[in-house]
Amino acid sequence: MKKLVLSALLLFVFAIPALAQDPEPIKIGDVTFSGNIRERVEAWDFFTPTTGQNLYGFSGTQIRFGFSQTGTNFDWNLEFEVPILLGIPNGAVRPAPQGQLGLGGSYYAANTNTSNTAFIFPKQAFVRLHGDHSSLRVGRFEFTDANEVKPKDATLAYLNSDRIAQRLIGNFGYSDVMRSLDGVQVGYANGDWNFTAVSAIPTRGVFQVDGWGWVKTPVTYVALSKHASLGSANAEWRVFGIFYNDDRSILKTDNRSTAAKTADINNGIDIGTYGGNIILAAPTTAGTFDLLGWGVLQSGRWGDLTQRSGAFAAEGGWQPNVAQKLRPWIRGGYDYTSGDKNPNDGTHGTFFAVLPTPRQYARFPFFNSMNNMDAFAEVMLRPGKKLLVRSDVHGLWLTSSADLWYSGGGAFQPWTFGFQGRPSNGHTKLANLYDISADYKVGHGLTATLYFGWAQGGDVIKAIFPTNSNGALGYVELNYKF
């Protein structure tokens, strides 16, 4: 692990002089060649099991390259990805309830128990037709919910991309393989209005380096968004619906007994998610204040059960007109997702996260947004345009003590459900999480990131990991775009 960290730091030191200058686009006639190289070294100290490997490090390299062309009424993109995983731990997968000890265990289990592996596959391959207001995209592409709209206001742009988008449909950008969609996207934009519809099948990937095939869990997304000006304040609102289907004959992750889940294995999942959100940024003489509201309800069927669940988020922030060299931003909020209160009735009450990017809202990803309550505060410092420092404090609880402690980000291979669950043992306190990160833009195209998070386990974690219920994650990452 120390050798991997040292190698990454040496790469950082020696790469800066060569890459700090703005790279010129590589053109072949009217076709542009571009790409991205991301190198990350992760150091994990997961909650300590009775036996197994919770302390480890590994390297993940992601290489993306492709060709694209933009015309008056069309554009196309053909992009390939090469994920390379080195030093994945072979002892970080334990029997239930301890399970996979961090993402090292997830990579190992998803790649047929292999410690070193790599692959190449098409990440994107699409054609897009567009007119003055409308567009049609067909093929393989990346899509994240809410990011179809790019607010012009800087505060709204951050809230939309970092605190609204990817809660339900994401590309799982933190993972070394990620996720794409195969399907069709239709868009219509006119002034402040935007309408977007997507119907697609997610690709394999996320933890599995082979991203060629599909996961037969089709999803359809429809959204209407609008920008609004309220005096000096700016706002964006969105209403949307998502339909998700999963007819795979695999064991579902929920709080029922194994016998009940086995008897329900051939009955699929059909869930509708309906909701909306609003974000507001209001400049004042004391600084800019922001508000965020997001909420959804779910209905449908979970195998033999009736799906009835919901979630909401309420957040606010302040960018004071003080210490302008640091440009502080203070934010806080409360995120809630329902849990199931009775494993023996006919209703599944656990909020289903669909196909999210969980790490965006769980920076130390030992949990996700299912059966979860998250009260948080964060401070961001932005000294200049190149450096962003962020520190968060989270209090985490399970919504229902009769439900599970969930993790994961949705289906990513045909034979794996995609969400994992550990028993609560009748408790609700999950953990307190403290973390800090720094992102530095060395030059156009090159960004360096440092992250460290420490989790103080609560009663839920102590019951499963009594040896040491505290955990930590740290990583260093270099990202170069050309």
Side-chain angles (χ1 to χ4, degrees):
M1 182 172 65
K2 291 181 179 179
K3 290 182 179 179
L4 288 173
V5 174
L6 179 60
S7 298
L9 291 175
L10 287 174
L11 175 63
F12 175 61
V13 171
F14 289 109
I16 288 175
L19 300 178
Q21 302 299 318
D22 290 356
E24 294 293 332
I26 302 173
K27 303 288 289 187
I28 306 172
D30 293 331
V31 177
T32 300
F33 175 74
S34 60
N36 183 86
I37 301 174
R38 189 181 76 185
E39 172 65 28
R40 184 194 302 132
V41 178
E42 301 184 29
W44 284 79
D45 185 6
F46 201 72
F47 314 109
T48 305
T50 50
T51 60
Q53 188 178 3
N54 66 297
L55 181 62
Y56 56 83
F58 66 90
S59 167
T61 304
Q62 183 190 84
I63 302 172
R64 298 175 63 169
F65 63 93
F67 302 89
S68 61
Q69 183 180 10
T70 301
T72 304
N73 297 310
F74 78 96
D75 57 77
W76 59 267
N77 189 352
L78 176 61
E79 181 186 37
F80 294 89
E81 180 181 333
V82 181
I84 305 169
L85 302 175
L86 301 176
I88 301 299
N90 59 11
V93 180
R94 305 303 304 153
Q98 294 178 339
Q100 297 171 2
L101 309 178
L103 297 192
S106 300
Y107 285 117
Y108 187 76
N111 293 285
T112 62
N113 299 340
T114 303
S115 292
N116 303 295
T117 185
F119 220 83
I120 183 171
F121 60 88
K123 185 72 175 70
Q124 298 192 95
F126 66 81
V127 174
R128 177 164 42 200
L129 306 176
H130 47 82
D132 293 336
H133 300 291
S134 59
S135 65
L136 171 66
R137 180 163 62 164
V138 179
R140 173 169 294 192
F141 49 85
E142 287 189 306
F143 178 81
T144 59
D145 77 285
N147 269 339
E148 65 268 21
V149 175
K150 310 291 184 184
K152 296 179 180 179
D153 182 278
T155 297
L156 295 184
Y158 173 83
L159 295 178
N160 190 74
S161 64
D162 282 53
R163 299 304 306 170
I164 290 290
Q166 305 192 57
R167 286 181 180 267
L168 297 171
I169 302 176
N171 62 3
F172 217 126
Y174 179 77
S175 78
D176 291 309
V177 189
M178 304 176 65
R179 169 193 291 132
S180 296
L181 297 175
D182 284 352
V184 58
Q185 176 180 353
V186 176
Y188 179 83
N190 192 352
D192 293 332
W193 292 89
N194 180 281
F195 172 81
T196 298
V198 175
S199 187
I201 299 176
T203 63
R204 302 186 191 188
V206 180
F207 302 118
Q208 174 185 300
V209 294
D210 180 359
W212 278 89
W214 289 346
V215 185
K216 294 182 180 179
T217 56
V219 61
T220 297
Y221 167 87
V222 179
L224 179 67
S225 307
K226 187 180 186 297
H227 171 82
S229 296
L230 307 172
S232 61
N234 288 300
E236 297 273 350
W237 61 259
R238 174 182 63 135
V239 291
F240 62 89
I242 298 173
F243 179 75
Y244 175 89
N245 167 260
D246 185 350
D247 283 333
R248 296 174 298 162
S249 296
I250 58 176
L251 209 65
K252 303 171 185 65
T253 301
D254 58 48
N255 60 341
R256 291 177 292 174
S257 67
T258 301
K261 289 186 287 188
T262 301
D264 195 26
I265 200 168
N266 291 319
N267 297 309
I269 296 172
D270 293 296
I271 292 179
T273 303
Y274 315 97
N277 60 261
I278 185 169
I279 49 179
L280 171 72
T284 70
T285 56
T288 299
F289 291 86
D290 66 80
L291 293 173
L292 178 155
W294 174 90
V296 296
L297 295 174
Q298 292 182 325
S299 63
R301 68 182 182 100
W302 182 272
D304 281 335
L305 306 180
T306 299
Q307 181 75 25
R308 294 290 185 270
S309 51
F312 72 84
E315 302 178 10
W318 177 38
Q319 301 173 63
N321 290 331
V322 296
Q324 284 303 295
K325 289 186 178 180
L326 296 177
R327 295 174 59 221
W329 191 349
I330 304 165
R331 300 199 75 252
Y334 180 75
D335 296 351
Y336 169 93
T337 57
S338 64
D340 190 82
K341 297 179 180 180
N342 186 349
N344 300 312
D345 64 6
T347 300
H348 182 248
T350 307
F351 175 72
F352 182 64
V354 192
L355 295 168
T357 299
R359 203 263 167 180
Q360 186 153 321
Y361 301 93
R363 300 213 297 169
F364 183 174
F366 62 89
F367 64 100
N368 67 6
S369 61
M370 296 168 65
N371 187 35
N372 180 257
M373 296 185 291
D374 180 357
F376 76 93
E378 71 180 31
V379 176
M380 289 182 285
L381 303 176
R382 299 162 291 171
K385 296 181 178 180
K386 292 186 176 182
L387 178 63
L388 170 65
V389 179
R390 172 181 165 183
S391 182
D392 288 23
V393 178
H394 293 258
L396 302 167
W397 295 265
L398 303 186
T399 307
S400 171
S401 61
D403 206 349
L404 305 179
W405 158 25
Y406 291 95
S407 60
F412 65 91
Q413 56 186 191
W415 50 86
T416 302
F417 186 69
F419 292 107
Q420 301 83 47
R422 297 180 175 93
S424 67
N425 292 299
H427 303 297
T428 58
K429 180 57 180 179
L430 182 61
N432 295 321
L433 173 60
Y434 313 88
D435 71 8
I436 187 168
S437 63
D439 297 276
Y440 184 70
K441 296 180 180 179
V442 180
H444 180 71
L446 178 64
T447 303
T449 299
L450 294 173
Y451 173 84
F452 179 76
W454 183 73
Q456 179 186 34
D459 291 337
V460 175
I461 296 177
K462 289 177 181 177
I464 301 174
F465 298 94
T467 304
N468 186 355
S469 59
N470 300 329
L473 166 65
Y475 70 79
V476 55
E477 176 183 294
L478 295 176
N479 201 335
Y480 176 59
K481 296 183 179 180
F482 59 90

